[in-house]
Amino acid sequence: ARRERLVERVLLRVLLGLISGLAIVIVVSALFRMYTYQKVYSFTGERVFVMAFELLLGVVLLMILVAGIRWRGSWIPRLTVALTVAMLLSLAAINPDAFVARRNIARYEETGKIDAWYLRALSADATPALANLPDPIRRCTLSWIAEELDDPDPWYAWNLGRLRARQTLDRLGPGAIGDYDDCREADEYDLPKRTPR
């Protein structure tokens, strides 16, 4: 776009600002909807990653707005890479599977609903949180994790999360680990409450 005359620069700033501002509104709406969706249906790792990316996208759009005011944007790619690295490190620090397990347990305590089938597919990182669930939900959610941890890890695949999971399962004992029948029973907790006719 031409930027020689003042009117061209003002028009360009207004149009780019409007586009970026409306895109930010879409990002905020998407974040709100995703959070609401998680509160109603449960948290998953994928949904946490989507929210993190939406936050990053919103910050990038804000940077574009600032660049449009200053007519300089050469700093945006470097800062975007730095923010992406910070986002990935933050996701690693919160331990997504453990975070998802804790959030779903909190949802269960509030609503009485839990998606045990999803929780049983989480990694060993979720085991300490899942160990606090009541039976048969705990037995269901630990079933796949325990099966995965049956075989010892080779030295090069050692993992702190898997070590903690094994310690938790040893503390609970074999009676805390269930099977398919436990998961069928636990699945009832995620169904809507039925009112008597």
Side-chain angles (χ1 to χ4, degrees):
R2 297 175 60 111
R3 290 184 280 178
E4 286 80 17
R5 293 185 300 152
L6 177 62
V7 68
E8 293 169 343
R9 291 192 295 274
V10 169
L11 182 62
L12 188 57
R13 277 191 173 115
V14 168
L15 292 176
L16 289 176
L18 191 60
I19 288 172
S20 297
L22 291 173
I24 289 171
V25 169
I26 292 170
V27 169
V28 170
S29 173
L31 277 167
F32 176 74
R33 287 170 181 260
M34 183 57 70
Y35 181 75
T36 304
Y37 190 82
Q38 290 183 110
K39 290 289 281 183
V40 172
Y41 293 106
S42 78
F43 285 71
T44 66
E46 293 81 5
R47 293 171 189 159
V48 171
F49 297 142
V50 166
M51 285 188 72
F53 180 76
E54 287 172 347
L55 280 170
L56 178 66
L57 184 60
V59 172
V60 170
L61 289 168
L62 287 173
M63 292 188 305
I64 291 170
L65 280 173
V66 172
I69 294 168
R70 299 177 58 206
W71 285 125
R72 286 194 181 92
S74 59
W75 50 276
I76 292 177
R78 289 189 300 275
L79 188 54
T80 300
V81 169
L83 288 172
T84 303
V85 170
M87 178 192 72
L88 292 173
L89 291 174
S90 298
L91 285 171
I94 69 164
N95 193 347
D97 280 0
F99 174 78
V100 164
R102 288 191 302 272
R103 293 300 305 154
N104 279 296
I105 291 169
R107 175 180 173 260
Y108 169 68
E109 290 168 355
E110 290 173 13
T111 66
K113 294 180 182 179
I114 193 163
D115 186 352
W117 286 93
Y118 174 78
L119 293 177
R120 73 190 275 221
L122 293 175
S123 72
D125 291 336
T127 304
L130 298 176
N132 298 319
L133 286 166
D135 279 337
I137 303 168
R138 180 185 62 203
R139 291 173 49 81
C140 173
T141 58
L142 294 179
S143 61
W144 279 10
I145 296 171
E147 187 177 321
E148 182 189 339
L149 295 174
D150 275 345
D151 298 325
D153 297 327
W155 65 269
Y156 55 83
W158 183 89
N159 178 299
L160 181 60
R162 292 170 68 84
L163 174 68
R164 287 181 179 156
R166 284 190 176 100
Q167 291 170 342
T168 301
L169 292 174
D170 288 344
R171 180 177 51 82
L172 292 172
I177 299 156
D179 56 18
Y180 181 80
D181 290 333
D182 291 298
C183 288
R184 278 190 22 206
E185 189 177 343
D187 194 40
E188 295 174 15
Y189 290 93
D190 204 39
L191 298 174
K193 302 286 187 239
R194 295 191 178 124
T195 55
R197 293 184 183 183

